[in-house]
Amino acid sequence: YSFDEFLEYRDEIYDISLVGKWPDGKEFFAISAVPALYHRINAHLPEATYVTRYFEQAEREPYCVMTYTDKDGRQESHNELNARYVDEDFLKVFDFKLLQGNRQTALADASSVVITQSIARKYFGDDDALGKVLELITGGPETRQTKFTYQVSAVLEDVPSNSFLQFEVLLPFRNFEDHYIQDVKNIWAWPGFFTFIRTDQAQDLKQLQVKINQLVPAEVHEDVLKLTGSTFSFKVLRFADLHFLNSSWDSQLSVVSTGSRTYTLIIGLIGMAILIVASVNYVNLTTAKSLKRAK
């Protein structure tokens, strides 16, 4: 129940999720959206003060080998499993605690990387991580293998365990767009890209939802119908509600942490029952021995 309460702007953040329907009328849900939606929101939705995508690097690139070479030529190299592609507004939408760097510019450059405190210690020990250079190799088949040189632009405190989002390395999304699939910004039939907006204006969810769906061109719906045989629309969800949505949405992903409100409540009630039984038992035993103590 304490998930994401450490975020100051939690109540101003919204998630754009996908709702689809097959020809037989059966619906399918995704707690995430499609990559192309980000560009439409960024250009045509003034209500969105900030907007960012959040995508698991390992979703399409099975390795992410990060290497640091110190001044003496010694190397520290690891395959980082918790890397995420995000857009430059990510740290403006989510105010994770910043230990080093500038929140406003940390992800503005395509050669910048943001890491957590644990990753900084793993590669640099007690040395100052800011400005250090890391070499990163990602990809799958050789034709999609990419090699980047990043400079650490910010260090975050380790992400709390009671955070819906879980990550250790943040990479610029533009590098995924430019080097993995170059037309990814025009893809409307690939769910899996979390899309979050932050607005400081009180929003009517239904009205906001209508505006976002109006951003999708009619020809896009026609193309998706021909390609997949399904129709789709977008639904707006409050970020604060996402942790307990796993029972009704396709949210079983390693990039987020979800739970069941029902099971959490049941376990809490069991814990209270055990505490009550233990208290009653203690009182009974204490009362039973009171005469002996009095004597």
Side-chain angles (χ1 to χ4, degrees), residues 174-187:
R174 70 184 73 175
N175 288 338
F176 179 79
E177 285 187 322
D178 294 342
H179 298 277
Y180 187 78
I181 298 178
Q182 293 185 4
D183 65 343
V184 70
K185 62 184 64 175
N186 297 314
I187 294 178

Side-chain angles (χ1 to χ4, degrees), residues 13-18 30-33 164 193-197 205 208-209 212 234-240 242 245 249:
I13 304 171
Y14 299 88
D15 170 64
I16 315 301
S17 58
L18 181 116
I31 202 170
S32 53
F164 177 73
F193 295 79
F194 283 86
T195 303
F196 300 105
I197 65 173
L205 289 191
L208 186 60
Q209 194 167 289
I212 289 174
F234 295 107
K235 184 178 178 68
V236 178
L237 302 172
R238 297 185 187 279
F239 177 75
L242 294 183
L245 283 178
W249 296 83

Side-chain angles (χ1 to χ4, degrees), residues 58-288:
E59 169 74 15
R60 292 299 182 196
E61 302 170 312
Y63 55 83
C64 178
V65 180
M66 186 178 285
T67 303
Y68 170 64
T69 305
D70 66 17
K71 59 184 179 181
D72 297 322
R74 292 189 295 269
Q75 290 188 331
E76 187 77 27
S77 186
H78 301 276
N79 184 25
E80 298 300 341
L81 303 177
N82 293 314
R84 313 287 182 245
Y85 283 111
V86 297
D87 292 290
E88 59 183 275
D89 282 350
F90 181 81
L91 292 178
K92 302 170 192 174
V93 176
F94 300 99
D95 55 319
F96 290 99
K97 187 174 181 181
L98 198 67
L99 299 179
Q100 289 182 289
N102 187 319
R103 184 180 303 279
Q104 300 300 318
T105 59
L107 290 162
D109 195 290
S111 62
S112 297
V113 62
V114 175
I115 59 177
T116 61
Q117 190 174 25
S118 291
I119 294 294
R121 285 180 182 146
K122 180 162 64 172
Y123 286 91
F124 314 123
D126 295 328
D127 292 346
D128 186 0
L130 210 61
K132 289 287 196 302
V133 175
L134 290 165
E135 183 182 88
L136 190 70
I137 299 177
T138 67
E142 290 299 317
T143 54
R144 292 178 177 173
Q145 186 179 43
T146 52
K147 185 176 181 179
F148 299 96
T149 299
Y150 286 112
Q151 190 171 37
V152 178
S153 59
V155 178
L156 300 176
E157 189 175 84
D158 288 351
V159 177
S161 59
N162 62 338
S163 170
F164 177 73
L165 304 180
Q166 295 294 320
F167 61 88
E168 290 183 306
V169 178
L170 297 176
L171 304 171
F173 199 99
R174 70 184 73 175
N175 288 338
F176 179 79
E177 285 187 322
D178 294 342
H179 298 277
Y180 187 78
I181 298 178
Q182 293 185 4
D183 65 343
V184 70
K185 62 184 64 175
N186 297 314
I187 294 178
W188 291 89
W190 184 0
F193 295 79
F194 283 86
T195 303
F196 300 105
I197 65 173
R198 180 185 150 201
T199 172
D200 55 5
Q201 307 171 30
Q203 293 294 325
D204 178 276
L205 289 191
K206 289 185 178 179
Q207 185 179 4
L208 186 60
Q209 194 167 289
V210 169
K211 290 181 180 180
I212 289 174
N213 279 291
Q214 288 174 343
L215 297 177
V216 185
E219 58 269 21
V220 167
H221 286 286
E222 296 172 5
D223 292 342
V224 171
L225 183 60
K226 290 178 184 178
L227 180 66
T228 66
S230 64
T231 59
F232 73 94
S233 62
F234 295 107
K235 184 178 178 68
V236 178
L237 302 172
R238 297 185 187 279
F239 177 75
D241 298 333
L242 294 183
H243 175 65
F244 282 132
L245 283 178
N246 70 323
S247 59
S248 57
W249 296 83
D250 177 22
S251 58
Q252 300 302 315
L253 303 168
S254 60
V255 291
V256 297
S257 177
T258 58
S260 167
R261 189 184 299 274
T262 302
Y263 288 147
T264 301
L265 183 60
I266 289 173
I267 292 171
L269 291 174
I270 290 173
M272 289 179 65
I274 292 173
L275 183 61
I276 291 170
V277 170
S279 300
V280 171
N281 195 35
Y282 174 79
V283 170
N284 287 341
L285 289 171
T286 304
T287 303

